[in-house]
Amino acid sequence: MLDHKIETFLTVVKYKSYTKTAEILHMTQPAVTQHIHKLEIYYNCKLVDSSQHTIKITSAGKRLYTYLSLQQANEKHFFHLLKNTVRPLCIGASLSIADYYLPQVLIKNLLIDKDRIRITVENTTNLLKKLQNGDIDCAFVEGIFDTAFFETKLYKNESFIPIVASTHPLANKEVTLQQLQDYPLILREPDSGTREILEKWLSQRNVSPQSFQTVIEIGSILLIKKLISQSSAVTFLYEGVVKKELSNGKLAHVKIKDYQLQHPLYFIYRKGDPKYYIYEKIFQSLT
């Protein structure tokens, strides 16, 4: 059972309010304050800043929240094991992985399993939150995230490449990044793993998406590929996502000078999860 002070802290972070926390946990507000103060003494750092009459979680508090919420999720799963409660295995997958890498894995391995399975498809940021809160059990993710709290297995290294229509003036040519900026850029939605990868690569070269002629945000990979094939826009996608279109000539690769970007796709689950052996079995079936 998690300490009551921990439950208080998790609730304060969630609602950013001592008053709301006291109401939800049936405590007095001074008791909430005391719980937070005792945790700060124990961890020897400031977790919550309420000096300006607003609740702000410090960087240490945010890191502790991630750790404690993972423990809370693991405890919840442990109770299910103790009670032999049957629940579906909940697997998360980012959009790119779900649509272009998982189908063959599901057919080969998961559909023959007798256990019930639920697949959740969202961007990497939302998947990490769901995994942290115990809403899903494990996930296939991309993008950039803190690996300190998750068991992380490399699923695949994949090339991340610039793509244009086969009729585009830059199709199959070697160009500079500056030349590419003369055209519209199609990006995934905020919090997408692929978008984060691209923005990080651009920032390392003192360039942002706004440096391009215009920026269009689209959450659907299928729609992105369709618009690219019918316009002068450029986008960046995993090579496996456009493998079919590259081979049939609908889309083309642009070669940027001194560009070579590969990014790992990961299979992850919470550290300390009592059902770790199930997730390890899933990963071993992929290799």
Side-chain angles (χ1 to χ4, degrees), residues 76-85 274-275 277-278:
K76 188 189 305 180
H77 283 211
F78 183 61
F79 276 121
H80 283 304
L81 287 177
L82 286 178
K83 297 178 180 179
N84 292 318
T85 305
K275 297 198 299 182
Y277 57 92
I278 297 175

Side-chain angles (χ1 to χ4, degrees), residues 19 66 97 115 121 198 246 263 276:
T19 303
T66 299
I97 297 176
D115 294 329
V121 180
L198 176 59
L246 290 175
H263 196 77
Y276 73 93

Side-chain angles (χ1 to χ4, degrees), residues 9-10 13 61-70 132-133:
F9 172 71
L10 292 173
V13 175
K62 290 177 182 177
R63 194 163 180 82
L64 180 62
Y65 175 77
T66 299
Y67 171 75
L68 293 178
S69 59
L70 290 171
Q132 177 179 317
N133 295 329

Side-chain angles (χ1 to χ4, degrees), residues 74-118:
N74 285 342
E75 185 175 82
K76 188 189 305 180
H77 283 211
F78 183 61
F79 276 121
H80 283 304
L81 287 177
L82 286 178
K83 297 178 180 179
N84 292 318
T85 305
V86 178
R87 59 185 294 272
L89 177 64
C90 302
I91 303 175
S94 65
L95 186 59
S96 299
I97 297 176
D99 286 350
Y100 298 96
Y101 298 97
L102 268 192
Q104 61 269 36
V105 174
L106 290 173
I107 292 170
K108 182 180 177 182
N109 300 291
L110 301 182
L111 292 182
I112 61 175
D113 201 305
K114 294 180 181 179
D115 294 329
R116 288 187 296 154
I117 296 169
R118 180 184 301 152

Side-chain angles (χ1 to χ4, degrees), residues 208-268:
S208 74
Q210 285 66 40
S211 303
F212 286 74
Q213 184 188 93
T214 188
V215 176
I216 304 167
E217 296 181 359
I218 299 177
S220 164
I221 293 177
L222 288 174
L223 183 54
I224 288 174
K225 292 196 291 185
K226 187 171 183 178
L227 287 179
I228 287 292
S229 68
Q230 298 176 5
S231 71
S232 63
V234 61
T235 194
F236 287 72
L237 293 169
Y238 290 118
E239 190 169 11
V241 170
V242 289
K243 184 177 180 180
K244 179 180 177 180
E245 290 82 2
L246 290 175
S247 63
N248 64 24
K250 288 186 177 180
L251 297 177
H253 181 199
V254 179
K255 300 174 183 178
I256 303 175
K257 290 180 181 178
D258 302 319
Y259 175 91
Q260 188 175 11
L261 182 58
Q262 278 200 327
H263 196 77
L265 311 181
Y266 290 112
F267 175 73
I268 64 174

